[in-house]
Amino acid sequence: MRLNWHAGLSTKGFGSNTFYSARFDEQYERTTKIYTAIQGETVAGFMHFRPSVYWNRNHDRFELIRGSEAQVPFNYHRTDVFGLSLNSWFDWTLGRTAFGAEFRNEDIVSGNLGEPLDAPKRISGTDRDYKFGLNSSNLSFHLEHNVLLRRLTLSAGFVAVKNTWNQMPFTLYPGLDASLRIGSNWKIYGSYNSSLRMPSFTELYYSVGGHKADKYLKPEELRAVEGGVKFDSRLISARASIFHHHSRNMIDWVMDTRDAEAVWQSVNHTKVNTLGEEISVAVNLDEAVRLPSSVFQIAYCHLRQSKQEQPFLQSQYSLEYLRHKLTAMLKLQLTPRLNLTLNYRYQDRTGNYTDQNGQVCAYRPYSVVDGRLSWKIDTYTFYLDANNLFGKRYVDYGNVPQPGLWIVVGGKILL
């Protein structure tokens, strides 16, 4: 058996302005993460086995007002995630069959969020205790079979999931993907997939700082159908697809702006249907107009939801989405060592946000152009980035105004 082992440590401190509320502009967070895992791989006859064991520990301190615990106590959390998994597969006449299982336990203790603990635990480096927490286990089994023929590719399978958090029974989530190659340039494909997302600890218990969580949230489920066509040649690569997402119990944070004392509340949207179309084209300019190592790309995506927009209802996730998004990229090799890249982005987001003055504002469409010049000499690369070339003032998401023109100069050395 071959064994692989890894371990790591990371620590970060960063400002999180307006992360939970626009009313506090000095929010700060510090995280420390320790992780390790062992993975094995062995072959017994025609069977392949890949077992693994992992453990992650994460410490988190959130400061609503940085460095001022006397005004608002800091939020402390510690998370331990332990898991065992086994993946197996074998090849035979009709393709490859894979199956496996995973057990995952998540244990969270907190200074102010969750269910009361039987015995408090001291928060390292402070005189406070973890008094609340939550423990849940997730058990899953999966089975998948793949058929690879000369022109046809077919993959079908399912995942069976059981979670102890809400005492859910084993629930089956199937999936199917198929593609057919036509000639040497065309491919058509279709897929059906389903998935599950459990509510996060924050969505269940974060009821401070202008938020009111619901610990009885239901898991979010998604059924997605997609079909499309692809074309590839030396000159052009093109993609076109249409998809439909049916979401049940979609989790979101919403606020009724008609209420002067309104707070953000975690909720389940019973049903949300999304229909979308995507198209993209890439042109090899070396083939088209004899510009070596140059390419032009353009892509467009359009979405529309069945959930009716309500001007007074603000949403952080589900009901705010990009109705239109258009991107384009032009990459030119000006000389053997000098390259120019230009990127264009147009976005039209539905929904609204509350600014720092408490005013409800609708998102406005905007366009942004970015550019990069790069010079490469052997193992050295120097570059000049100019982002938002025309200094467009806009709000992309939430209530954070984006910067105007900003320039970055840098370099890379390959040793």
Side-chain angles (χ1 to χ4, degrees), residues 264-304:
W264 289 100
Q265 301 183 63
S266 60
V267 299
N268 284 117
H269 296 300
T270 307
K271 293 181 181 179
V272 178
N273 292 309
T274 303
L275 182 64
E277 307 88 33
E278 286 185 313
I279 185 169
S280 64
V281 178
V283 181
N284 184 345
L285 297 181
D286 190 4
E287 291 288 330
V289 291
R290 302 302 178 189
L291 289 174
S293 302
S294 300
V295 64
F296 172 72
Q297 298 176 350
I298 187 168
Y300 171 71
C301 179
H302 172 243
L303 299 177
R304 52 187 176 275

Side-chain angles (χ1 to χ4, degrees), residues 237 347 353 355:
S237 294
Q347 293 189 177
Y353 64 94
D355 65 15

Side-chain angles (χ1 to χ4, degrees), residues 8-34:
L9 169 68
S10 69
T11 180
K12 297 179 182 179
F14 51 92
S16 50
N17 177 31
T18 72
F19 188 76
Y20 285 106
S21 172
R23 292 178 293 176
F24 303 92
D25 58 2
E26 294 185 48
Q27 297 175 61
Y28 177 78
E29 191 161 7
R30 185 164 191 86
T31 62
T32 301
K33 183 176 182 179
I34 304 169

Side-chain angles (χ1 to χ4, degrees), residues 12 15 25 57 75 99 101 119 150 184 205 243 253 261 276-277 285 300 323 357 360 414:
K12 297 179 182 179
D25 58 2
R57 166 166 283 192
N75 293 342
F99 57 93
R150 183 170 175 268
S184 57
Y205 290 102
F243 53 88
W253 289 93
E261 303 298 325
E277 307 88 33
L285 297 181
Y300 171 71
R323 181 184 287 113
N357 299 319
V360 179
L414 181 63

